[in-house]
């Protein structure tokens, strides 16, 4: 195990009762920084994890779960890195800067920081929704293991599913006329540079950059362990996820697909507020993920 190394910058440090700590710091040059949160265990790290968040409203839906997951994994001795993509959250740049390539670059920067700070070489990347595509792309070159929570499988298909959520929202809110079609919303996004999806900007640069990106295409050929957690009201994997995992298994990947039978409406506010600690879905995702890591560490 390599020794932990110090940073030139002075991060804000939050200590926990178990002896671990969370360091908050901007990573990168001024004007081009990402905000990073590095969760460190009480003892020398036995491995590292980088969490690639979802996007827009889905980021807010999942943010508390990612904090809870990070704390659960540090209890296993793992160092965990969370971060905000440039153009989102507390990181630098405007929202129209965020594209699929820049999000992958940010994941790589976060990974490099964690490797230096925690003194670990091999990482596992965790990605949710659009962050699943980011995690897969960022892990491909080094063949790092993957944990994917309800990942997007195709970039443009994901984008259009978000627009479908906007259409449903407008049907609920507007009277006297049909809502715009997805093609009309895409044209609005192209001409205006963005479309507002219930308070979140979905930009044309992001749509264009996704191009023909698919999970199967960006994950790379190098076999490695992969856990995929499907969220939804079904006891078996969807045809799309099952086919993906079957193909990867044929290529030598060590795959595991687990249906988590709970609903999540990603782009809508819940009608009843509950703290994440009181919700079953988050705890199920964290327990499944922690169990997978425990098995690998054992």
């Amino acid at each position: 195990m390599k020794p932990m190394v110090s940073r030139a910058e002075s991060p804000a440090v939050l200590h926990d009762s178990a002896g671990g700590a969370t360091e908050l710091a901007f990573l990168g040059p001024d004007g081009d920084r990402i905000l990073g949160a590095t969760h460190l265990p009480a003892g020398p790290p036995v491995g590292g994890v980088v969490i690639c968040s979802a996007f827009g409203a889905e980021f807010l839906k999942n943010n508390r779960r990612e904090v809870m997951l990070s704390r659960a994994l540090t209890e296993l001795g793992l160092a965990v890195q969370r971060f905000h993509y440039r153009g989102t959250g507390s990181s630098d740049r405007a929202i129209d800067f965020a594209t699929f390539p820049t999000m992958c670059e940010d994941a790589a920067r976060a990974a490099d920081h964690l490797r230096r700070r925690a003194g670990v070489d091999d990482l596992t990347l965790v990605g949710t929704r659009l962050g699943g595509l980011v995690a897969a792309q960022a892990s491909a070159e080094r063949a790092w293991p993957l944990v994917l929570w309800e990942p997007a499988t195709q970039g443009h298909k994901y984008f259009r599913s978000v627009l479908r959520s906007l259409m449903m929202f407008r049907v609920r809110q507007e009277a006297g006329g049909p809502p715009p079609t997805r093609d009309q919303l895409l044209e609005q996004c192209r001409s205006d540079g963005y479309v507002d999806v219930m308070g979140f900007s979905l930009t044309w640069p992001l749509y264009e950059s996704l191009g023909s990106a698919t999970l199967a295409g960006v994950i790379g050929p190098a076999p490695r362990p992969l856990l995929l957690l499907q969220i939804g009201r079904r006891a078996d994997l969807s045809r799309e996820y099952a086919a993906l995992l079957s193909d990867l298994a044929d290529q030598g990947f060590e795959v595991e697909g687990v249906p988590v039978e709970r609903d999540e409406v990603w782009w809508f506010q819940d009608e009843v507020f509950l703290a994440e600690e009181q919700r079953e879905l988050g705890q199920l995702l964290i327990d499944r993920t922690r169990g997978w890591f425990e098995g690998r560490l054992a």
Side-chain angles (χ1 to χ4, degrees), residues 7 23 42 52 75 154 228 230:
R7 286 177 49 78
E23 298 179 350
C52 300
E75 292 175 359
Q154 300 176 38
L228 188 151
Q230 171 186 281

Side-chain angles (χ1 to χ4, degrees), residues 235-253:
D236 58 340
L237 290 178
S238 70
R239 181 179 302 177
E240 187 174 37
Y241 283 157
L244 170 69
L245 294 184
S246 177
D247 288 344
L248 293 176
D250 289 343
Q251 297 173 41
F253 283 69

Side-chain angles (χ1 to χ4, degrees), residues 136-253:
Q137 173 76 64
S139 72
E141 182 177 351
R142 297 183 180 273
W144 284 329
L146 282 169
V147 176
L148 305 176
W149 290 5
E150 190 66 17
T153 57
Q154 300 176 38
H156 280 179
K157 180 179 179 181
Y158 165 82
F159 205 99
R160 289 175 177 272
S161 73
V162 175
L163 294 182
R164 184 165 58 247
S165 297
L166 176 58
M167 293 164 60
M168 294 170 58
F169 175 76
R170 291 192 176 179
V171 166
R172 294 182 182 182
Q173 298 296 318
E174 298 177 5
T181 66
R182 278 189 299 183
D183 287 342
Q184 289 171 332
L185 289 171
L186 273 177
E187 175 56 28
Q188 177 188 339
C189 185
R190 186 198 64 77
S191 60
D192 295 346
Y194 76 100
V195 62
D196 183 283
V197 183
M198 294 163 281
F200 296 88
S201 295
L202 213 59
T203 68
W204 186 251
L206 176 60
Y207 177 80
E208 277 198 310
S209 71
L210 286 168
S212 58
T214 66
L215 187 55
V218 302
I219 204 168
R224 55 201 188 272
L226 185 153
L227 171 67
L228 188 151
L229 300 183
Q230 171 186 281
I231 303 170
R233 287 286 181 182
R234 56 183 300 162
D236 58 340
L237 290 178
S238 70
R239 181 179 302 177
E240 187 174 37
Y241 283 157
L244 170 69
L245 294 184
S246 177
D247 288 344
L248 293 176
D250 289 343
Q251 297 173 41
F253 283 69

